[in-house]
Amino acid sequence: MLTSNEILQTIQMVDKYKLDIRTITMGISLLRCADDDAQKAADKVYDHIAYTAKDLVKTGEAIEREMGIPIVNKRISVTPVALLTEKDHIKIARALDRAAKETGVNFVGGYSALVHAGMTQADKNLILSIPKALTETDFVCSSVNVATTRNGINMDAVALMGNIIRQAAEMTADRDSIACAKLVVFANAVEDNPFMAGAFHGVGLGDSAIHVGVSGPGVVEKTLKTIPGASFEIVAEEIKKTAFQITRAGQLVAREASKRLGIPFGIVDLSLAPTPALGDSVAHIIEEMGIERTGAPGTTAALALLNDAVKKGGVMASSNVGGLSGAFIPVSEDIGMIRATQEGALCLEKLEAMTCVCSVGLDMIAIPGDTPASTISAIIADESAIGMVNNKTTAVRVIPAIGKTVGDEVSFGGLLGFAPIMRVSSFGSEKFIERGGRIPAPLHSLRN
């Protein structure tokens, strides 16, 4: 039960510090829709989603009005589509898009394949269809899991994804290659992630679930402004207290949505998810700790403290913490990250180091449009290795901006924001990627 003091503090967080519920995401199992005939599967998919999620948006809007807590997005995640039929997956992508429009949600995630230990023909067919699916649809998001700590890295899948990302970029070159903003490549993907573009409804879950993703970088930044010069122990304690309050708000919204929709409560993802708006930046939290500009020496240590304190505070506020849960560092979606990149403080290599200690990985990074597919694959391999060895979720969402180079920008609007093109090493990795096969799992994967 929330106390009156906690309610007043939450109201202040909403009014002054941009606290919001970033998303209510309804996970829906589509296993019942599987069919050898892709069109039949697509028809079943549309009908099932349209019925199951028919009240999601209006319920979220009602909770938002009654509680006074902004709920920015209402989303749907579904069973990885590669499991539903062997070919012609594009028909299901169109059905997902129609269902999104029918239900009024912002995005549908789950045009996905899990290929960390091998690739079925259905998986390969879906992956090959991704560029066309993301070009032809407005609301569909896609993800591919290419590595796990237990299985190692599927380098054949990594090589393929470099080409897929380039194709997606080229097919939407007239829109700043926006298809790539809806595509993420994972290591250790989780089944209950409410955030896009990587959300899908895992096969280990039930028929449906309600997941909530909270936010609140601005709240944490304002908290740190009240303790200038404090020791790191005090900084960590204050962040934990703030994360506790933020997560309590998310827990309240999640349980209320679950009750009203008659769908089981899944998890609260307590990630700090920034936006391009001023006062809603993870980079500014790092700078409030004393780093002149995010990317300078000390940035990784500051981010490690932040990520750990957020998890410790959040886990005390909910018995159902899951998803990604940590601090996001998407360049285009964080005004502080954008500024740090523009001023030369932040580079791709430093971002990679930061992903060792945060959630999730190299996210919403625009790179030169002439970056070779093999270089993109090598970036994915590096990030997958970090996830595999450290037993954590990592991901790559890069946008090779066709026709643009360092010094230019891409702009997507809304939560996707804008980003300066970041430099990528001119030295190649083609022969490394051509080897194929599998990078074996680390020794510590043998836990039985």
Side-chain angles (χ1 to χ4, degrees):
M1 177 72 80
L2 287 172
T3 67
S4 58
N5 187 48
E6 286 177 315
I7 292 170
L8 290 172
Q9 288 176 329
T10 301
I11 291 171
Q12 185 182 47
M13 289 178 182
V14 171
D15 287 344
K16 295 184 178 180
Y17 308 139
K18 299 185 183 296
L19 173 65
D20 60 51
I21 302 301
R22 187 54 47 85
T23 180
I24 293 179
T25 300
M26 179 183 288
I28 302 174
S29 172
L30 298 182
L31 291 177
R32 69 180 68 185
C33 303
D35 200 294
D36 291 337
D37 185 315
Q39 187 56 57
K40 289 181 181 177
D43 292 341
K44 292 186 217 176
V45 164
Y46 173 80
D47 290 342
H48 186 49
I49 293 175
Y51 174 77
T52 306
K54 65 183 185 300
D55 296 326
L56 175 60
V57 171
K58 70 178 183 182
T59 299
E61 290 172 345
I63 294 171
E64 187 175 11
R65 286 192 304 271
E66 293 167 25
M67 294 187 177
I69 302 175
I71 301 172
V72 179
N73 291 291
K74 294 83 180 174
R75 299 166 171 169
I76 294 169
S77 62
V78 301
T79 305
V81 167
L83 300 175
L84 304 184
T85 194
E86 187 172 6
K87 57 184 179 179
D88 297 329
H89 298 94
I90 193 73
K91 294 176 180 176
I92 297 180
R94 293 172 185 143
L96 292 173
D97 207 47
R98 285 193 297 120
K101 292 169 183 174
E102 173 66 23
T103 56
V105 297
N106 305 95
F107 287 111
V108 177
Y111 198 74
S112 306
L114 311 178
V115 296
H116 42 274
M119 197 181 316
T120 67
Q121 190 59 51
D123 292 326
K124 188 171 184 179
N125 289 341
L126 179 130
I127 291 171
L128 292 173
S129 75
I130 286 173
K132 184 176 181 181
L134 298 185
T135 300
E136 292 188 1
T137 60
D138 296 315
F139 302 104
V140 174
C141 291
S142 180
S143 61
V144 178
N145 192 69
V146 298
T148 65
T149 297
R150 188 63 185 245
N151 298 104
I153 306 173
N154 182 345
M155 290 299 293
D156 293 325
V158 168
L160 179 57
M161 288 311 300
N163 284 292
I164 293 298
I165 290 169
R166 274 212 59 89
Q167 289 175 32
E170 290 163 359
M171 291 177 73
T172 52
D174 59 330
R175 291 176 282 161
D176 279 345
S177 302
I178 193 172
C180 298
K182 300 186 289 178
L183 171 60
V184 58
V185 184
F186 274 118
N188 290 319
V190 296
E191 295 189 319
D192 53 8
N193 170 21
F195 288 102
M196 299 297 169
F200 63 86
H201 186 74
V203 295
L205 302 177
D207 287 331
S208 56
I210 292 292
H211 309 302
V212 164
V214 299
S215 185
V219 181
V220 176
E221 182 190 353
K222 296 297 181 184
T223 297
L224 294 186
K225 284 182 181 297
T226 67
I227 51 169
S231 71
F232 286 118
E233 291 94 341
I234 294 173
V235 168
E237 283 301 312
E238 291 303 312
I239 293 174
K240 284 195 293 185
K241 291 175 187 176
T242 304
F244 177 88
Q245 292 173 293
I246 292 170
T247 308
R248 286 291 288 270
Q251 171 97 346
L252 182 65
V253 168
R255 290 204 175 278
E256 190 61 27
S258 170
K259 182 173 119 181
R260 296 188 187 190
L261 291 165
I263 288 176
F265 167 35
I267 58 92
V268 175
D269 186 317
L270 46 92
S271 297
L272 293 181
T275 72
L278 193 63
D280 201 21
S281 165
V282 169
H284 288 168
I285 298 173
I286 292 169
E287 291 165 12
E288 191 59 41
M289 289 189 206
I291 305 296
E292 181 179 0
R293 190 69 74 239
T294 296
T299 294
T300 305
L303 185 60
L305 183 153
L306 172 63
N307 202 60
D308 180 67
V310 165
K311 290 181 188 238
K312 287 175 177 174
V315 79
M316 292 298 293
S318 174
S319 57
N320 295 65
V321 170
L324 302 170
S325 288
F328 289 176
I329 53 170
V331 173
S332 79
E333 299 174 8
D334 186 311
I335 191 64
M337 297 286 179
I338 294 168
R339 182 180 64 173
T341 302
Q342 290 171 329
E343 295 181 2
L346 192 59
C347 64
L348 189 63
E349 291 77 13
K350 184 59 177 178
L351 279 164
E352 182 180 301
M354 292 163 67
T355 65
C356 296
V357 299
C358 78
S359 307
V360 175
L362 297 172
D363 196 16
M364 288 303 290
I365 296 170
I367 59 176
D370 61 357
T371 304
S374 58
T375 298
I376 297 171
S377 294
I379 291 170
I380 294 169
D382 282 345
E383 198 60 33
S384 296
I386 290 171
M388 175 185 72
V389 171
N390 291 288
N391 197 29
K392 70 186 291 292
T393 303
T394 55
V396 172
R397 186 164 48 149
V398 294
I399 300 102
I402 304 301
K404 297 193 175 184
T405 190
V406 176
D408 297 329
E409 290 184 350
V410 293
S411 180
F412 305 118
L415 288 177
L416 295 177
F418 70 97
I421 309 298
M422 299 189 78
R423 182 192 64 82
V424 175
S425 174
S426 60
F427 294 95
S429 311
E430 187 173 357
K431 291 183 179 179
F432 175 75
I433 296 301
E434 283 177 352
R435 288 178 180 271
R438 182 167 61 94
I439 293 180
L443 182 62
H444 61 255
S445 68
L446 302 176
R447 294 185 173 184
N448 284 341

